[in-house]
Amino acid sequence: ERDLMIEKETLRQEQREELRKAYAAQANKFAEWLETTKQKLTNNRYRLEDQRDLIEGKHEEIKKKRAVLREIEDLSAHLEQGMIFDNKFTTHSTVTLAQQWDQLNEFTRRMHHTVTAQIEAQNRTGVDEDELKEFTLMFKHFDKDRSGRLDHNEFKACLRAFRIRSAGP
């Protein structure tokens, strides 16, 4: 009878270990996808229209990946039902993965809005993307305190650099 109890406990422990591994495999893969997707979105050097297309594609992919997150949440629920609260195969919790997914989803939504606004501004002003980058670089050069604005002295330095005389003091 003791051997039977030991055998049952061994089987129970093996099942718990398999559940941990299944959760970890999905959680680790999902976390890697989250990181890779964010890097692809933030490390691009594409034209605005290409950025918009990339963002739209990634946003659709992100929405579809919600189903994978639900599967991970289901596995997590099974772990909790089995009173399994530790997992040596992963550092990722369901809560953290869900928060990261939400952040990525919101990030792409905002990024799409920003890029679309930039395209619209570019179309209205007639300033092409290369000119806008050049203006931005020049602005950053004169914005010494990185405030996003040129104060009086920064603006005077800008005018002097372009040999424009100011009317004021």
Side-chain angles (χ1 to χ4, degrees):
E1 186 173 316
R2 185 171 190 280
D3 288 341
L4 182 61
M5 285 177 46
I6 291 172
E7 189 176 315
K8 281 183 179 180
E9 181 59 23
T10 301
L11 180 62
R12 187 178 80 81
Q13 291 295 330
E14 288 171 356
Q15 289 171 340
R16 292 168 62 111
E17 197 75 356
E18 289 305 311
L19 192 54
R20 283 185 182 100
K21 288 179 182 178
Y23 173 84
Q26 285 210 17
N28 291 340
K29 185 177 177 182
F30 190 76
E32 184 180 324
W33 171 83
L34 285 166
E35 186 60 34
T36 301
T37 301
K38 186 172 184 179
Q39 286 176 0
K40 285 179 183 174
L41 287 167
T42 56
N43 294 335
N44 69 63
R45 302 283 182 245
Y46 304 117
R47 294 178 326 105
L48 289 173
E49 289 81 3
D50 295 336
Q51 284 183 38
R52 181 188 56 208
D53 295 343
L54 173 72
I55 293 165
E56 287 172 354
K58 287 296 178 188
H59 192 66
E60 287 304 312
E61 182 182 339
I62 290 165
K63 287 195 279 188
K64 289 178 183 173
K65 284 287 186 174
R66 182 67 177 110
V68 175
L69 183 57
R70 282 191 201 99
E71 291 174 14
I72 294 169
E73 290 169 338
D74 290 345
L75 282 171
S76 179
H78 289 303
L79 287 169
E80 288 178 20
Q81 287 171 353
M83 302 299 284
I84 304 169
F85 300 110
D86 64 321
N87 193 336
K88 64 184 177 187
F89 303 106
T90 190
T91 58
H92 306 290
S93 72
T94 306
V95 171
T96 302
L97 292 174
Q99 287 173 341
Q100 290 174 346
W101 181 90
D102 285 337
Q103 289 170 350
L104 185 60
N105 189 42
E106 181 63 18
F107 175 71
T108 55
R109 191 187 67 71
R110 288 182 179 175
M111 197 173 179
H112 183 269
H113 176 75
T114 300
V115 169
T116 301
Q118 288 175 347
I119 291 170
E120 290 171 2
Q122 177 181 312
N123 291 340
R124 277 193 314 272
T125 62
V127 175
D128 71 26
E129 199 168 336
D130 291 333
E131 291 172 320
L132 184 60
K133 285 180 185 176
E134 187 177 341
F135 292 146
T136 302
L137 283 172
M138 283 190 282
F139 179 84
K140 287 180 179 179
H141 173 75
F142 291 104
D143 183 22
K144 298 296 184 191
D145 61 1
R146 302 287 181 239
S147 65
R149 297 173 182 198
L150 296 182
D151 65 23
H152 180 74
N153 291 329
E154 292 168 335
F155 186 64
K156 279 177 62 175
C158 179
L159 292 176
R160 276 193 305 273
F162 291 104
R163 291 176 171 62
I164 300 171
R165 294 192 132 208
S166 65

PDB file of all heavy atoms in Angstrom, residues 47-77:
ATOM      1  N   ARG A  47      10.280  55.020 -44.323  1.00  0.00           N
ATOM      2  CA  ARG A  47       9.493  56.209 -44.659  1.00  0.00           C
ATOM      3  C   ARG A  47       8.208  56.159 -43.841  1.00  0.00           C
ATOM      4  O   ARG A  47       7.790  55.103 -43.386  1.00  0.00           O
ATOM      5  CB  ARG A  47       9.127  56.211 -46.151  1.00  0.00           C
ATOM      6  CG  ARG A  47      10.267  56.352 -47.101  1.00  0.00           C
ATOM      7  CD  ARG A  47       9.868  56.301 -48.577  1.00  0.00           C
ATOM      8  NE  ARG A  47       8.748  55.406 -48.880  1.00  0.00           N
ATOM      9  CZ  ARG A  47       7.503  55.817 -49.165  1.00  0.00           C
ATOM     10  NH1 ARG A  47       7.206  57.084 -49.225  1.00  0.00           N
ATOM     11  NH2 ARG A  47       6.558  54.949 -49.430  1.00  0.00           N
ATOM     12  N   LEU A  48       7.560  57.319 -43.679  1.00  0.00           N
ATOM     13  CA  LEU A  48       6.359  57.393 -42.847  1.00  0.00           C
ATOM     14  C   LEU A  48       5.271  56.438 -43.320  1.00  0.00           C
ATOM     15  O   LEU A  48       4.643  55.753 -42.510  1.00  0.00           O
ATOM     16  CB  LEU A  48       5.830  58.829 -42.809  1.00  0.00           C
ATOM     17  CG  LEU A  48       6.675  59.813 -42.008  1.00  0.00           C
ATOM     18  CD1 LEU A  48       6.145  61.234 -42.180  1.00  0.00           C
ATOM     19  CD2 LEU A  48       6.702  59.440 -40.543  1.00  0.00           C
ATOM     20  N   GLU A  49       5.043  56.381 -44.623  1.00  0.00           N
ATOM     21  CA  GLU A  49       3.995  55.504 -45.147  1.00  0.00           C
ATOM     22  C   GLU A  49       4.313  54.040 -44.862  1.00  0.00           C
ATOM     23  O   GLU A  49       3.422  53.251 -44.534  1.00  0.00           O
ATOM     24  CB  GLU A  49       3.801  55.717 -46.660  1.00  0.00           C
ATOM     25  CG  GLU A  49       3.164  57.039 -47.023  1.00  0.00           C
ATOM     26  CD  GLU A  49       4.142  58.218 -47.035  1.00  0.00           C
ATOM     27  OE1 GLU A  49       5.365  58.023 -46.812  1.00  0.00           O
ATOM     28  OE2 GLU A  49       3.676  59.354 -47.240  1.00  0.00           O
ATOM     29  N   ASP A  50       5.600  53.675 -44.979  1.00  0.00           N
ATOM     30  CA  ASP A  50       6.002  52.299 -44.679  1.00  0.00           C
ATOM     31  C   ASP A  50       5.865  52.003 -43.185  1.00  0.00           C
ATOM     32  O   ASP A  50       5.481  50.901 -42.792  1.00  0.00           O
ATOM     33  CB  ASP A  50       7.435  52.048 -45.142  1.00  0.00           C
ATOM     34  CG  ASP A  50       7.585  52.136 -46.656  1.00  0.00           C
ATOM     35  OD1 ASP A  50       6.573  51.934 -47.368  1.00  0.00           O
ATOM     36  OD2 ASP A  50       8.699  52.431 -47.133  1.00  0.00           O
ATOM     37  N   GLN A  51       6.180  53.020 -42.354  1.00  0.00           N
ATOM     38  CA  GLN A  51       5.994  52.855 -40.905  1.00  0.00           C
ATOM     39  C   GLN A  51       4.525  52.602 -40.590  1.00  0.00           C
ATOM     40  O   GLN A  51       4.203  51.724 -39.792  1.00  0.00           O
ATOM     41  CB  GLN A  51       6.453  54.111 -40.161  1.00  0.00           C
ATOM     42  CG  GLN A  51       7.934  54.271 -40.044  1.00  0.00           C
ATOM     43  CD  GLN A  51       8.291  55.502 -39.233  1.00  0.00           C
ATOM     44  OE1 GLN A  51       7.624  55.825 -38.250  1.00  0.00           O
ATOM     45  NE2 GLN A  51       9.339  56.195 -39.632  1.00  0.00           N
ATOM     46  N   ARG A  52       3.658  53.394 -41.214  1.00  0.00           N
ATOM     47  CA  ARG A  52       2.219  53.241 -40.978  1.00  0.00           C
ATOM     48  C   ARG A  52       1.770  51.830 -41.361  1.00  0.00           C
ATOM     49  O   ARG A  52       1.036  51.180 -40.608  1.00  0.00           O
ATOM     50  CB  ARG A  52       1.432  54.283 -41.771  1.00  0.00           C
ATOM     51  CG  ARG A  52      -0.080  54.181 -41.532  1.00  0.00           C
ATOM     52  CD  ARG A  52      -0.861  55.066 -42.459  1.00  0.00           C
ATOM     53  NE  ARG A  52      -0.513  54.715 -43.829  1.00  0.00           N
ATOM     54  CZ  ARG A  52      -0.563  55.562 -44.859  1.00  0.00           C
ATOM     55  NH1 ARG A  52      -0.920  56.804 -44.686  1.00  0.00           N
ATOM     56  NH2 ARG A  52      -0.233  55.166 -46.063  1.00  0.00           N
ATOM     57  N   ASP A  53       2.229  51.342 -42.512  1.00  0.00           N
ATOM     58  CA  ASP A  53       1.856  49.994 -42.951  1.00  0.00           C
ATOM     59  C   ASP A  53       2.368  48.935 -41.983  1.00  0.00           C
ATOM     60  O   ASP A  53       1.650  47.987 -41.649  1.00  0.00           O
ATOM     61  CB  ASP A  53       2.387  49.725 -44.361  1.00  0.00           C
ATOM     62  CG  ASP A  53       1.745  50.625 -45.413  1.00  0.00           C
ATOM     63  OD1 ASP A  53       0.688  51.227 -45.126  1.00  0.00           O
ATOM     64  OD2 ASP A  53       2.307  50.724 -46.521  1.00  0.00           O
ATOM     65  N   LEU A  54       3.617  49.116 -41.522  1.00  0.00           N
ATOM     66  CA  LEU A  54       4.187  48.176 -40.553  1.00  0.00           C
ATOM     67  C   LEU A  54       3.367  48.175 -39.268  1.00  0.00           C
ATOM     68  O   LEU A  54       3.022  47.119 -38.735  1.00  0.00           O
ATOM     69  CB  LEU A  54       5.646  48.548 -40.247  1.00  0.00           C
ATOM     70  CG  LEU A  54       6.311  47.752 -39.125  1.00  0.00           C
ATOM     71  CD1 LEU A  54       6.596  46.325 -39.570  1.00  0.00           C
ATOM     72  CD2 LEU A  54       7.594  48.430 -38.671  1.00  0.00           C
ATOM     73  N   ILE A  55       3.046  49.361 -38.785  1.00  0.00           N
ATOM     74  CA  ILE A  55       2.281  49.484 -37.539  1.00  0.00           C
ATOM     75  C   ILE A  55       0.909  48.843 -37.684  1.00  0.00           C
ATOM     76  O   ILE A  55       0.451  48.118 -36.792  1.00  0.00           O
ATOM     77  CB  ILE A  55       2.150  50.972 -37.128  1.00  0.00           C
ATOM     78  CG1 ILE A  55       3.523  51.526 -36.750  1.00  0.00           C
ATOM     79  CG2 ILE A  55       1.169  51.148 -35.980  1.00  0.00           C
ATOM     80  CD1 ILE A  55       3.581  53.048 -36.688  1.00  0.00           C
ATOM     81  N   GLU A  56       0.248  49.091 -38.807  1.00  0.00           N
ATOM     82  CA  GLU A  56      -1.079  48.498 -39.019  1.00  0.00           C
ATOM     83  C   GLU A  56      -0.999  46.983 -39.029  1.00  0.00           C
ATOM     84  O   GLU A  56      -1.837  46.299 -38.424  1.00  0.00           O
ATOM     85  CB  GLU A  56      -1.681  49.025 -40.319  1.00  0.00           C
ATOM     86  CG  GLU A  56      -2.133  50.468 -40.219  1.00  0.00           C
ATOM     87  CD  GLU A  56      -2.557  51.068 -41.559  1.00  0.00           C
ATOM     88  OE1 GLU A  56      -2.401  50.409 -42.612  1.00  0.00           O
ATOM     89  OE2 GLU A  56      -3.022  52.227 -41.545  1.00  0.00           O
ATOM     90  N   GLY A  57       0.023  46.437 -39.692  1.00  0.00           N
ATOM     91  CA  GLY A  57       0.190  44.977 -39.720  1.00  0.00           C
ATOM     92  C   GLY A  57       0.466  44.411 -38.344  1.00  0.00           C
ATOM     93  O   GLY A  57      -0.102  43.389 -37.940  1.00  0.00           O
ATOM     94  N   LYS A  58       1.350  45.082 -37.610  1.00  0.00           N
ATOM     95  CA  LYS A  58       1.688  44.613 -36.265  1.00  0.00           C
ATOM     96  C   LYS A  58       0.497  44.742 -35.319  1.00  0.00           C
ATOM     97  O   LYS A  58       0.295  43.902 -34.451  1.00  0.00           O
ATOM     98  CB  LYS A  58       2.890  45.382 -35.698  1.00  0.00           C
ATOM     99  CG  LYS A  58       4.203  45.009 -36.342  1.00  0.00           C
ATOM    100  CD  LYS A  58       4.545  43.565 -36.076  1.00  0.00           C
ATOM    101  CE  LYS A  58       5.821  43.148 -36.750  1.00  0.00           C
ATOM    102  NZ  LYS A  58       6.050  41.704 -36.639  1.00  0.00           N
ATOM    103  N   HIS A  59      -0.296  45.802 -35.505  1.00  0.00           N
ATOM    104  CA  HIS A  59      -1.461  45.973 -34.633  1.00  0.00           C
ATOM    105  C   HIS A  59      -2.455  44.816 -34.838  1.00  0.00           C
ATOM    106  O   HIS A  59      -3.014  44.295 -33.861  1.00  0.00           O
ATOM    107  CB  HIS A  59      -2.139  47.322 -34.884  1.00  0.00           C
ATOM    108  CG  HIS A  59      -3.150  47.668 -33.844  1.00  0.00           C
ATOM    109  ND1 HIS A  59      -2.809  47.922 -32.537  1.00  0.00           N
ATOM    110  CD2 HIS A  59      -4.493  47.772 -33.910  1.00  0.00           C
ATOM    111  CE1 HIS A  59      -3.902  48.161 -31.845  1.00  0.00           C
ATOM    112  NE2 HIS A  59      -4.935  48.085 -32.645  1.00  0.00           N
ATOM    113  N   GLU A  60      -2.648  44.404 -36.072  1.00  0.00           N
ATOM    114  CA  GLU A  60      -3.514  43.246 -36.335  1.00  0.00           C
ATOM    115  C   GLU A  60      -2.934  41.981 -35.707  1.00  0.00           C
ATOM    116  O   GLU A  60      -3.666  41.178 -35.120  1.00  0.00           O
ATOM    117  CB  GLU A  60      -3.714  43.059 -37.845  1.00  0.00           C
ATOM    118  CG  GLU A  60      -4.616  44.092 -38.474  1.00  0.00           C
ATOM    119  CD  GLU A  60      -5.990  44.160 -37.818  1.00  0.00           C
ATOM    120  OE1 GLU A  60      -6.619  43.104 -37.605  1.00  0.00           O
ATOM    121  OE2 GLU A  60      -6.427  45.282 -37.488  1.00  0.00           O
ATOM    122  N   GLU A  61      -1.633  41.814 -35.822  1.00  0.00           N
ATOM    123  CA  GLU A  61      -0.964  40.652 -35.226  1.00  0.00           C
ATOM    124  C   GLU A  61      -1.133  40.658 -33.703  1.00  0.00           C
ATOM    125  O   GLU A  61      -1.397  39.620 -33.091  1.00  0.00           O
ATOM    126  CB  GLU A  61       0.526  40.695 -35.588  1.00  0.00           C
ATOM    127  CG  GLU A  61       1.337  39.529 -35.079  1.00  0.00           C
ATOM    128  CD  GLU A  61       2.821  39.649 -35.430  1.00  0.00           C
ATOM    129  OE1 GLU A  61       3.179  40.397 -36.370  1.00  0.00           O
ATOM    130  OE2 GLU A  61       3.615  38.979 -34.753  1.00  0.00           O
ATOM    131  N   ILE A  62      -1.000  41.838 -33.116  1.00  0.00           N
ATOM    132  CA  ILE A  62      -1.151  41.973 -31.664  1.00  0.00           C
ATOM    133  C   ILE A  62      -2.559  41.571 -31.234  1.00  0.00           C
ATOM    134  O   ILE A  62      -2.736  40.848 -30.246  1.00  0.00           O
ATOM    135  CB  ILE A  62      -0.816  43.415 -31.225  1.00  0.00           C
ATOM    136  CG1 ILE A  62       0.679  43.666 -31.384  1.00  0.00           C
ATOM    137  CG2 ILE A  62      -1.269  43.686 -29.791  1.00  0.00           C
ATOM    138  CD1 ILE A  62       1.075  45.123 -31.331  1.00  0.00           C
ATOM    139  N   LYS A  63      -3.565  42.026 -31.969  1.00  0.00           N
ATOM    140  CA  LYS A  63      -4.949  41.659 -31.617  1.00  0.00           C
ATOM    141  C   LYS A  63      -5.156  40.147 -31.706  1.00  0.00           C
ATOM    142  O   LYS A  63      -5.816  39.557 -30.844  1.00  0.00           O
ATOM    143  CB  LYS A  63      -5.931  42.391 -32.533  1.00  0.00           C
ATOM    144  CG  LYS A  63      -6.039  43.879 -32.219  1.00  0.00           C
ATOM    145  CD  LYS A  63      -7.241  44.520 -32.856  1.00  0.00           C
ATOM    146  CE  LYS A  63      -6.982  44.853 -34.294  1.00  0.00           C
ATOM    147  NZ  LYS A  63      -8.038  45.638 -34.938  1.00  0.00           N
ATOM    148  N   LYS A  64      -4.559  39.510 -32.715  1.00  0.00           N
ATOM    149  CA  LYS A  64      -4.705  38.058 -32.856  1.00  0.00           C
ATOM    150  C   LYS A  64      -3.988  37.308 -31.733  1.00  0.00           C
ATOM    151  O   LYS A  64      -4.430  36.232 -31.314  1.00  0.00           O
ATOM    152  CB  LYS A  64      -4.162  37.610 -34.211  1.00  0.00           C
ATOM    153  CG  LYS A  64      -5.030  38.035 -35.370  1.00  0.00           C
ATOM    154  CD  LYS A  64      -4.438  37.619 -36.693  1.00  0.00           C
ATOM    155  CE  LYS A  64      -5.299  38.135 -37.835  1.00  0.00           C
ATOM    156  NZ  LYS A  64      -4.694  37.902 -39.143  1.00  0.00           N
ATOM    157  N   LYS A  65      -2.892  37.876 -31.242  1.00  0.00           N
ATOM    158  CA  LYS A  65      -2.129  37.222 -30.181  1.00  0.00           C
ATOM    159  C   LYS A  65      -2.869  37.236 -28.839  1.00  0.00           C
ATOM    160  O   LYS A  65      -2.465  36.554 -27.900  1.00  0.00           O
ATOM    161  CB  LYS A  65      -0.762  37.886 -30.011  1.00  0.00           C
ATOM    162  CG  LYS A  65       0.230  37.526 -31.093  1.00  0.00           C
ATOM    163  CD  LYS A  65       0.719  36.116 -30.930  1.00  0.00           C
ATOM    164  CE  LYS A  65       1.826  35.826 -31.931  1.00  0.00           C
ATOM    165  NZ  LYS A  65       2.422  34.522 -31.728  1.00  0.00           N
ATOM    166  N   ARG A  66      -3.946  37.967 -28.750  1.00  0.00           N
ATOM    167  CA  ARG A  66      -4.755  37.972 -27.524  1.00  0.00           C
ATOM    168  C   ARG A  66      -5.256  36.561 -27.224  1.00  0.00           C
ATOM    169  O   ARG A  66      -5.364  36.182 -26.052  1.00  0.00           O
ATOM    170  CB  ARG A  66      -5.926  38.962 -27.660  1.00  0.00           C
ATOM    171  CG  ARG A  66      -6.780  39.075 -26.423  1.00  0.00           C
ATOM    172  CD  ARG A  66      -6.008  39.698 -25.266  1.00  0.00           C
ATOM    173  NE  ARG A  66      -6.823  39.876 -24.098  1.00  0.00           N
ATOM    174  CZ  ARG A  66      -6.689  39.165 -22.976  1.00  0.00           C
ATOM    175  NH1 ARG A  66      -5.763  38.252 -22.865  1.00  0.00           N
ATOM    176  NH2 ARG A  66      -7.484  39.387 -21.951  1.00  0.00           N
ATOM    177  N   ALA A  67      -5.510  35.794 -28.279  1.00  0.00           N
ATOM    178  CA  ALA A  67      -5.969  34.409 -28.094  1.00  0.00           C
ATOM    179  C   ALA A  67      -4.889  33.562 -27.411  1.00  0.00           C
ATOM    180  O   ALA A  67      -5.197  32.713 -26.564  1.00  0.00           O
ATOM    181  CB  ALA A  67      -6.361  33.795 -29.433  1.00  0.00           C
ATOM    182  N   VAL A  68      -3.631  33.785 -27.765  1.00  0.00           N
ATOM    183  CA  VAL A  68      -2.527  33.060 -27.133  1.00  0.00           C
ATOM    184  C   VAL A  68      -2.444  33.438 -25.652  1.00  0.00           C
ATOM    185  O   VAL A  68      -2.233  32.582 -24.796  1.00  0.00           O
ATOM    186  CB  VAL A  68      -1.188  33.361 -27.855  1.00  0.00           C
ATOM    187  CG1 VAL A  68      -0.017  32.720 -27.129  1.00  0.00           C
ATOM    188  CG2 VAL A  68      -1.246  32.899 -29.303  1.00  0.00           C
ATOM    189  N   LEU A  69      -2.643  34.713 -25.370  1.00  0.00           N
ATOM    190  CA  LEU A  69      -2.636  35.160 -23.976  1.00  0.00           C
ATOM    191  C   LEU A  69      -3.755  34.480 -23.187  1.00  0.00           C
ATOM    192  O   LEU A  69      -3.558  34.080 -22.037  1.00  0.00           O
ATOM    193  CB  LEU A  69      -2.760  36.682 -23.900  1.00  0.00           C
ATOM    194  CG  LEU A  69      -2.689  37.307 -22.514  1.00  0.00           C
ATOM    195  CD1 LEU A  69      -1.394  36.935 -21.789  1.00  0.00           C
ATOM    196  CD2 LEU A  69      -2.821  38.816 -22.608  1.00  0.00           C
ATOM    197  N   ARG A  70      -4.907  34.306 -23.795  1.00  0.00           N
ATOM    198  CA  ARG A  70      -6.013  33.595 -23.115  1.00  0.00           C
ATOM    199  C   ARG A  70      -5.622  32.150 -22.793  1.00  0.00           C
ATOM    200  O   ARG A  70      -5.959  31.630 -21.729  1.00  0.00           O
ATOM    201  CB  ARG A  70      -7.269  33.632 -23.979  1.00  0.00           C
ATOM    202  CG  ARG A  70      -7.996  34.946 -23.917  1.00  0.00           C
ATOM    203  CD  ARG A  70      -9.382  34.875 -24.582  1.00  0.00           C
ATOM    204  NE  ARG A  70      -9.794  36.216 -24.933  1.00  0.00           N
ATOM    205  CZ  ARG A  70      -9.694  36.756 -26.145  1.00  0.00           C
ATOM    206  NH1 ARG A  70      -9.227  36.053 -27.146  1.00  0.00           N
ATOM    207  NH2 ARG A  70     -10.080  37.993 -26.368  1.00  0.00           N
ATOM    208  N   GLU A  71      -4.909  31.504 -23.724  1.00  0.00           N
ATOM    209  CA  GLU A  71      -4.451  30.126 -23.475  1.00  0.00           C
ATOM    210  C   GLU A  71      -3.490  30.097 -22.285  1.00  0.00           C
ATOM    211  O   GLU A  71      -3.567  29.192 -21.442  1.00  0.00           O
ATOM    212  CB  GLU A  71      -3.752  29.563 -24.717  1.00  0.00           C
ATOM    213  CG  GLU A  71      -4.676  29.299 -25.888  1.00  0.00           C
ATOM    214  CD  GLU A  71      -3.921  28.881 -27.139  1.00  0.00           C
ATOM    215  OE1 GLU A  71      -2.717  28.545 -27.046  1.00  0.00           O
ATOM    216  OE2 GLU A  71      -4.536  28.899 -28.226  1.00  0.00           O
ATOM    217  N   ILE A  72      -2.615  31.074 -22.223  1.00  0.00           N
ATOM    218  CA  ILE A  72      -1.672  31.162 -21.101  1.00  0.00           C
ATOM    219  C   ILE A  72      -2.440  31.401 -19.801  1.00  0.00           C
ATOM    220  O   ILE A  72      -2.133  30.803 -18.761  1.00  0.00           O
ATOM    221  CB  ILE A  72      -0.626  32.275 -21.357  1.00  0.00           C
ATOM    222  CG1 ILE A  72       0.265  31.892 -22.549  1.00  0.00           C
ATOM    223  CG2 ILE A  72       0.220  32.533 -20.119  1.00  0.00           C
ATOM    224  CD1 ILE A  72       1.154  33.010 -23.058  1.00  0.00           C
ATOM    225  N   GLU A  73      -3.443  32.247 -19.859  1.00  0.00           N
ATOM    226  CA  GLU A  73      -4.269  32.496 -18.673  1.00  0.00           C
ATOM    227  C   GLU A  73      -4.990  31.222 -18.238  1.00  0.00           C
ATOM    228  O   GLU A  73      -5.114  30.954 -17.029  1.00  0.00           O
ATOM    229  CB  GLU A  73      -5.270  33.616 -18.958  1.00  0.00           C
ATOM    230  CG  GLU A  73      -4.620  34.974 -19.086  1.00  0.00           C
ATOM    231  CD  GLU A  73      -5.537  36.059 -19.628  1.00  0.00           C
ATOM    232  OE1 GLU A  73      -6.546  35.740 -20.287  1.00  0.00           O
ATOM    233  OE2 GLU A  73      -5.228  37.245 -19.394  1.00  0.00           O
ATOM    234  N   ASP A  74      -5.446  30.408 -19.187  1.00  0.00           N
ATOM    235  CA  ASP A  74      -6.088  29.134 -18.847  1.00  0.00           C
ATOM    236  C   ASP A  74      -5.106  28.182 -18.174  1.00  0.00           C
ATOM    237  O   ASP A  74      -5.447  27.524 -17.181  1.00  0.00           O
ATOM    238  CB  ASP A  74      -6.683  28.476 -20.100  1.00  0.00           C
ATOM    239  CG  ASP A  74      -7.892  29.210 -20.649  1.00  0.00           C
ATOM    240  OD1 ASP A  74      -8.460  30.064 -19.918  1.00  0.00           O
ATOM    241  OD2 ASP A  74      -8.259  28.956 -21.817  1.00  0.00           O
ATOM    242  N   LEU A  75      -3.882  28.130 -18.722  1.00  0.00           N
ATOM    243  CA  LEU A  75      -2.865  27.273 -18.098  1.00  0.00           C
ATOM    244  C   LEU A  75      -2.547  27.759 -16.685  1.00  0.00           C
ATOM    245  O   LEU A  75      -2.374  26.955 -15.767  1.00  0.00           O
ATOM    246  CB  LEU A  75      -1.586  27.261 -18.943  1.00  0.00           C
ATOM    247  CG  LEU A  75      -1.604  26.388 -20.189  1.00  0.00           C
ATOM    248  CD1 LEU A  75      -0.366  26.647 -21.035  1.00  0.00           C
ATOM    249  CD2 LEU A  75      -1.678  24.917 -19.806  1.00  0.00           C
ATOM    250  N   SER A  76      -2.501  29.066 -16.519  1.00  0.00           N
ATOM    251  CA  SER A  76      -2.247  29.635 -15.197  1.00  0.00           C
ATOM    252  C   SER A  76      -3.359  29.259 -14.225  1.00  0.00           C
ATOM    253  O   SER A  76      -3.091  28.953 -13.053  1.00  0.00           O
ATOM    254  CB  SER A  76      -2.125  31.152 -15.306  1.00  0.00           C
ATOM    255  OG  SER A  76      -1.914  31.716 -14.038  1.00  0.00           O
ATOM    256  N   ALA A  77      -4.587  29.267 -14.701  1.00  0.00           N
ATOM    257  CA  ALA A  77      -5.715  28.882 -13.844  1.00  0.00           C
ATOM    258  C   ALA A  77      -5.579  27.419 -13.411  1.00  0.00           C
ATOM    259  O   ALA A  77      -5.856  27.082 -12.248  1.00  0.00           O
ATOM    260  CB  ALA A  77      -7.031  29.103 -14.581  1.00  0.00           C
TER     261      ALA A  77
END
